Amino acid sequence: MTQCCINPSILSADFVNLEAELQRIGNADAVHVDVMDNHFVPNLTIGLPVVQRIQAVSPVPLDAHLMIADADRWAPGFADAGLASVTFHAEASIAPVKLARELRSRGAKAGMALRPATAVEPYLDMLSEVDMLLIMTVEPGFGGQAFLDVTLPKIRRARAAIEGSGIDVAIQVDGGITEETITRAAEAGANVFVAGSAVYGADDPAAAIDRLRKEAARTLRAATE
């Protein structure tokens, strides 16, 4: 299984002091940047120009989660900005295989995201085209939501398919991740964890990252023994 990663979401950060907030999570594996357009989801956050500035000052790589309509048109620009990983929603792409290949050709890892109610089975045959599968554990659009346990069977099915195929694809989960829920997600087969409130709501975000990583790594080790 791909290594355990903790990617804090800056959706829960102080946007007025964003550069300082990034410095507080220097021990993270990546910064999760939620891009929302008020079309695909009922919320509006930031666009490419702001992401480019975040890219310029971030101490760790950027992991963009594009909750936007017309992903085929807009996602490649985020890869061109030099982001380490760009994730688009399968529900927002007309040609997901083509888009994933384009992201990779522009130097970014390609991620594909699924809403909680979107079945994973129609996308299993294209897992070799992506580097990461993001299974949303809340409805996309807002931070601070409670983890949806109903998504755990889907994570298990995705992990079984990945292990059966022998390909190296990470499973990321996003939404409601805490020191308690991260264990359930890891047991199901996730290994990349997005945490917003659990990190930026803590007095010491770096220490919170360490605690989350410890819990997830312990669970993943136990699963492979």
Side-chain angles (χ1 to χ4, degrees), residues 169-220:
V169 178
I171 295 180
Q172 184 180 75
V173 288
D174 180 3
I177 296 300
T178 65
E179 289 182 50
E180 188 267 328
T181 60
I182 199 170
T183 300
R184 301 208 296 276
E187 285 174 344
N191 63 292
V192 181
F193 307 91
V194 177
S197 302
V199 171
Y200 278 111
D203 292 335
D204 186 342
I209 291 169
D210 287 340
R211 290 193 297 270
L212 289 166
R213 185 183 286 115
K214 180 179 179 181
E215 287 298 319
R218 178 185 58 80
T219 303
L220 291 171

Side-chain angles (χ1 to χ4, degrees), residues 146-157:
F147 183 89
L148 295 174
D149 285 280
V150 71
T151 60
L152 292 172
K154 181 161 66 173
I155 298 170
R156 293 189 184 97
R157 293 194 298 273

Side-chain angles (χ1 to χ4, degrees), residues 66 68-76 87-90 92-94 99 103:
L66 306 183
I68 62 175
D70 199 4
D72 304 85
R73 176 184 179 185
W74 298 111
T87 297
F88 62 91
H89 268 264
S93 173
I94 295 173
L99 178 53
L103 294 174

Side-chain angles (χ1 to χ4, degrees), residues 2-156:
T2 306
Q3 70 178 38
C4 166
C5 296
I6 305 298
N7 297 5
S9 169
I10 58 170
L11 190 62
S12 298
D14 178 1
F15 271 56
V16 175
N17 300 293
L18 198 49
E19 184 172 359
E21 292 284 75
L22 292 168
Q23 299 302 319
R24 299 174 75 197
I25 58 169
N27 61 330
D29 296 284
V31 177
H32 189 81
V33 181
D34 292 299
V35 178
M36 307 181 194
D37 65 355
N38 198 32
H39 292 284
F40 181 72
V41 293
N43 198 5
L44 182 67
T45 56
I46 58 177
L48 181 56
V50 176
V51 174
Q52 289 171 324
R53 288 297 301 135
I54 295 171
Q55 169 74 11
V57 301
S58 176
V60 293
L62 262 59
D63 164 37
H65 177 194
L66 306 183
M67 288 167 273
I68 62 175
D70 199 4
D72 304 85
R73 176 184 179 185
W74 298 111
F78 289 84
D80 288 341
L83 274 66
S85 177
V86 178
T87 297
F88 62 91
H89 268 264
E91 304 93 345
S93 173
I94 295 173
V97 172
K98 179 176 180 294
L99 178 53
R101 289 180 178 180
E102 187 166 1
L103 294 174
R104 282 174 155 182
S105 73
R106 298 186 185 208
K109 290 185 177 181
M112 182 174 62
L114 303 176
R115 289 177 180 266
T118 300
V120 70
E121 283 74 15
Y123 301 98
L124 293 180
D125 288 342
M126 67 166 289
L127 285 176
S128 62
E129 301 288 345
V130 299
D131 301 286
M132 183 170 68
L133 178 67
L134 167 53
I135 296 178
M136 292 298 299
T137 46
V138 298
E139 286 295 338
F142 295 91
Q145 299 182 64
F147 183 89
L148 295 174
D149 285 280
V150 71
T151 60
L152 292 172
K154 181 161 66 173
I155 298 170
R156 293 189 184 97

